[in-house]
Amino acid sequence: MKITTPRLTQHVLTVEGRTGEPVLFVHGNVSSASFWRDSMAALPDGFRPLAADLRGFGETDPEPVDASRGLRDFSDDLLELVDELRLDGAHLVGWSLGGGVVMQMLRDRPAAIRSVTLVNPISPYGFGGTEGPDGKLTHADGTGSGAGAVNPDFLERLRAGDTSDESPTSPLSVFRASYVKHPVPDEDFYVRSMLTTRVGEANYPGDAVTTAEWPGVAPGAHGVLNAAAPTRFRLDDLPDVEPKPPILWIRGADDVIVSDTSLFDLAHLGALGVVPGSPGTPAQPMVTQTRNVLDRYGRYREVVLDDCGHSPHLEHPADFQRLLAGHIKEA
């Protein structure tokens, strides 16, 4: 269904005939609400599943992303959706970038949220450009993060709608190597979802900015990856929200995207010699940073799934569905 709010028109998936407590699923970067198809269908009775395409993904309007607002263009869109559909008391489920969006929603309107489930979320200190458990900026301008960190060949193949596996930078190859640890059924379905991403400076990845400091890129003013940069998205005060709905943090033990040794972190790639010239910049400890913030939040549980990559809901669906169902029933 299409829902129009003052900000934009959003495409929202649901399951026909389901009623009860609303559960709003928020997808990650280079994907769409379709990634939640099976998780939505598996919700227990008494819960109403919904999954929205974020702006610039799926069938939602490709409105530009103002990176100066961090992830609030996304979170404010969804809070308007909550208001339009009268979803107060919703359970929120956010994966990867969507985990950051859900945390921003929690930060801005905790009273509207009944529970939160974070699935391999980005760090509360953004993606790239920080070090240490407290998210200290390596450089004041966020060098090491932002749109310039993306492989340009991947962008071109994404823009062209490439469905082949002829290159390691094709969307299908990236899905196999990074989104999941082992093959999953219906991978063509998920690649088609990836290809709905609007590529450009206003959306994904955003405008690239160069800098004299290694590794030579810093956040620009527009687009998704610049909005997730640590100079724009930072939730030091998340533990201060009241009320505090319970948080379940589910993550795959072998995630290569969100990790203390992420293969998408330029600092870690520098340590590996993949990006030459590293002056010794330490990797961003993404998982440690999330745990640092949630330890201060207090009301949370962390569950690590072995032999699992970035997408527990696709790789270990039965475990994921059991954990999610238990969490929302207890909230």
Side-chain angles (χ1 to χ4, degrees), residues 121-251:
I122 65 169
S123 165
Y125 300 124
F127 198 98
T130 67
E131 54 192 75
D134 59 352
K136 175 188 173 184
L137 286 169
T138 302
H139 297 279
D141 65 353
T143 288
S145 65
V150 177
N151 185 301
D153 191 59
F154 172 69
L155 289 180
E156 288 307 312
R157 291 176 181 276
L158 191 64
R159 182 184 282 112
D162 183 2
T163 59
S164 76
D165 60 358
E166 66 181 23
S167 166
T169 56
S170 75
L172 174 55
S173 296
V174 170
F175 177 84
R176 289 172 174 169
S178 304
Y179 283 45
V180 295
K181 182 179 179 182
H182 300 293
V184 298
D186 215 2
E187 64 180 9
D188 290 344
F189 172 81
Y190 298 113
V191 172
R192 290 195 298 272
S193 169
M194 294 171 69
L195 294 175
T196 67
T197 302
R198 308 301 177 91
V199 178
E201 291 193 348
N203 297 110
Y204 177 82
D207 56 321
V209 174
T210 60
T211 175
E213 299 289 347
W214 186 90
V217 296
H222 311 284
V224 178
L225 293 190
N226 297 320
T231 50
R232 309 284 169 62
F233 173 69
R234 188 177 181 94
L235 297 178
D236 293 281
D237 58 352
L238 187 67
D240 300 330
V241 303
E242 291 293 344
K244 285 184 168 62
I247 295 176
L248 172 63
W249 175 22
I250 304 172
R251 64 181 183 87

Side-chain angles (χ1 to χ4, degrees), residues 51-69:
D53 290 332
L54 297 174
R55 61 169 60 197
F57 299 94
E59 297 179 39
T60 288
D61 289 348
E63 295 299 305
V65 176
D66 179 358
S68 71
R69 305 190 69 236

Side-chain angles (χ1 to χ4, degrees), residues 260-293:
D260 284 1
T261 52
S262 169
L263 296 182
F264 287 69
D265 175 20
L266 292 179
H268 182 58
L269 292 177
L272 296 176
V274 176
V275 178
S278 171
T281 303
Q284 179 188 8
M286 302 176 187
V287 171
T288 298
Q289 290 175 350
T290 298
R291 190 177 297 115
N292 177 42
V293 170

